[in-house]
Amino acid sequence: MRDTVRSESFLQIRNLTKRFETKRGTVHAVTDVSFDIPRGSITGLVGESGSGKTTLGRTLLRLIEPTSGTTSFDGNDINSLDEAGLRAMRRRMQIIFQDPVSSLNPRLKVGDIIAEGLVAHRVGNAASRREKVVSLLEEVGLRPDAANRYPHEFSGGQRQRIGIARALALDPEFIVADECVSALDVSIQAQILNLLLDLRQKRNLTMLFIAHDLSAVEYLCDQIIVMYLGRIVEVGPSQPLYMKPRHPYSQALLSAIPHPDPRAPRNREVLSDDIPSPLAPPSGCVFRTRCRLSDAECAETRPVPVAVGTHHLSYCLKTEVTA
């Protein structure tokens, strides 16, 4: 069957692969990944550290060059664009980085940081760029006088708002939010998540939201992609996937979500061992070395996506067993 989530997609990713050559060998960071992102949606990307989430997000934007595969953005194959074509496409695609401290140049004032993209793409003149910066600061909940201050004068949450304003400066249609709330306090995380929801509605943004916090993903996202060791293991609409995850790895991840009532009964699945090295991923199903359902077939056969609901796919040879 066709490996996709929806047909009315804004982004189409097909067989995307990224490998890094090192002195120790080949790192299989992202392998044969395919999915669609509908226009105006927020897609969540989850998985343990080392699953390839950040590499995938940056490869979509060609901040990292892919080894193979295609990424179609609104009908344009990003991977085939020359330098001029990619430069034009950059105005439509932006990223919010994980660390609100290191991602902002400490030597520049906030106004200059936000205006960098406008200057690089020669948008407007000095006066219009100043007006744009003020408008963006107000849109993300900061005062206009923040433009004349330096990043170290702001809290972590305020710095992330500056990062969001910078990402919005060129009025993009698609944003990759790479762990953009993981470094923030819980109360501040909620504010940033609500800001992203407001911006999605106001600007009709399409987003890829990369996160470890599964509760945040459930709150924010329309569909969810679960990655493990560079491969997709499950993808589907948010509510069905959270209510009834079908892949053993998804079930283990969701069972680890903290419950507000410590006395409530828990059925937590604790995974044994650590995630294998991407230098030597397991044969067959990459999750088999930690899976409670693994058998000889899992070591020999690569799982293909199985439909378990509307737009809901599970990459597991034992899908019927886990249902």
Side-chain angles (χ1 to χ4, degrees):
M1 66 172 291
R2 182 168 175 252
D3 182 4
T4 184
V5 179
R6 300 174 190 265
S7 59
E8 63 277 13
S9 58
F10 187 41
L11 273 84
Q12 292 183 325
I13 294 85
R14 294 291 177 268
N15 309 113
L16 194 65
T17 296
K18 178 59 187 178
R19 300 189 183 99
F20 297 96
E21 298 299 330
T22 70
K23 293 181 179 180
R24 297 176 58 194
T26 301
V27 176
H28 300 264
V30 175
T31 304
D32 199 26
V33 165
S34 300
F35 60 94
D36 290 1
I37 300 180
R39 184 186 293 273
S41 71
I42 301 180
T43 294
L45 183 60
V46 301
E48 292 172 278
S49 295
S51 294
K53 305 185 300 299
T54 293
T55 300
L56 175 57
R58 297 190 179 200
T59 304
L60 294 185
L61 302 178
R62 268 187 70 182
L63 297 176
I64 299 174
E65 291 293 333
T67 302
S68 61
T70 61
T71 301
S72 177
F73 177 81
D74 200 19
N76 300 291
D77 183 4
I78 296 172
N79 297 341
S80 67
L81 294 176
D82 59 16
E83 184 176 349
L86 184 60
R87 180 180 175 84
M89 187 63 69
R90 293 257 186 249
R91 295 185 61 170
R92 305 177 65 188
M93 309 172 70
Q94 291 292 313
I95 185 169
I96 304 168
F97 294 99
Q98 175 179 357
D99 188 350
V101 177
S102 63
S103 63
L104 302 179
N105 190 332
R107 296 180 176 86
L108 294 181
K109 291 183 178 179
V110 166
D112 295 326
I113 291 173
I114 296 173
E116 275 187 301
L118 300 172
V119 174
H121 288 270
R122 300 176 182 176
V123 177
N125 54 32
S128 65
R129 288 195 287 267
R130 283 194 295 269
E131 292 178 2
K132 180 77 170 180
V133 166
V134 168
S135 175
L136 289 166
L137 286 170
E138 292 176 337
E139 188 173 8
V140 299
L142 295 174
R143 293 170 55 87
D145 60 8
N148 297 317
R149 297 160 63 188
Y150 289 92
H152 73 269
E153 300 179 59
F154 296 89
S155 67
Q158 290 172 326
R159 292 181 193 183
Q160 197 56 281
R161 290 175 186 269
I162 294 167
I164 293 172
R166 176 177 58 186
L168 295 174
L170 291 168
D171 299 316
E173 299 165 64
F174 174 63
I175 288 180
V176 172
D178 184 11
E179 299 271 12
C180 67
V181 297
S182 63
L184 306 177
D185 294 338
V186 174
S187 60
I188 305 302
Q189 287 183 16
Q191 296 176 20
I192 298 299
L193 293 177
N194 287 328
L195 173 61
L196 292 177
L197 284 174
D198 291 342
L199 292 171
R200 188 268 289 266
Q201 183 175 6
K202 177 181 177 181
R203 290 174 169 259
N204 193 31
L205 286 171
T206 304
M207 298 187 198
L208 179 67
F209 183 77
I210 302 171
H212 282 96
D213 188 339
L214 298 178
S215 298
V217 173
E218 180 184 20
Y219 175 71
L220 188 70
C221 298
D222 305 298
Q223 69 171 357
I224 299 169
I225 299 166
V226 184
M227 282 189 73
Y228 181 82
L229 203 60
R231 290 184 178 269
I232 291 178
V233 297
E234 186 167 0
V235 56
S238 176
Q239 288 304 313
L241 194 149
Y242 267 80
M243 294 298 293
K244 193 174 183 180
R246 305 299 287 272
H247 193 281
Y249 181 59
S250 304
Q251 294 169 357
L253 284 181
L254 293 173
S255 74
I257 296 177
H259 196 281
D261 184 358
R263 296 167 295 183
R266 299 295 305 274
N267 185 24
R268 183 170 182 179
E269 297 182 28
V270 180
L271 297 176
S272 60
D273 302 321
D274 296 324
I275 189 169
S277 170
L279 286 165
S283 62
C285 175
V286 291
F287 184 60
R288 66 177 176 81
T289 58
R290 304 171 75 192
C291 181
R292 68 183 188 279
L293 303 175
S294 177
D295 59 19
E297 180 187 18
C298 299
E300 300 173 357
T301 306
R302 182 76 65 193
V304 296
V306 176
V308 293
T310 304
H311 308 307
H312 191 173
L313 304 174
S314 174
Y315 294 66
C316 179
L317 298 173
K318 313 298 180 184
T319 293
E320 284 75 18
V321 177
T322 63

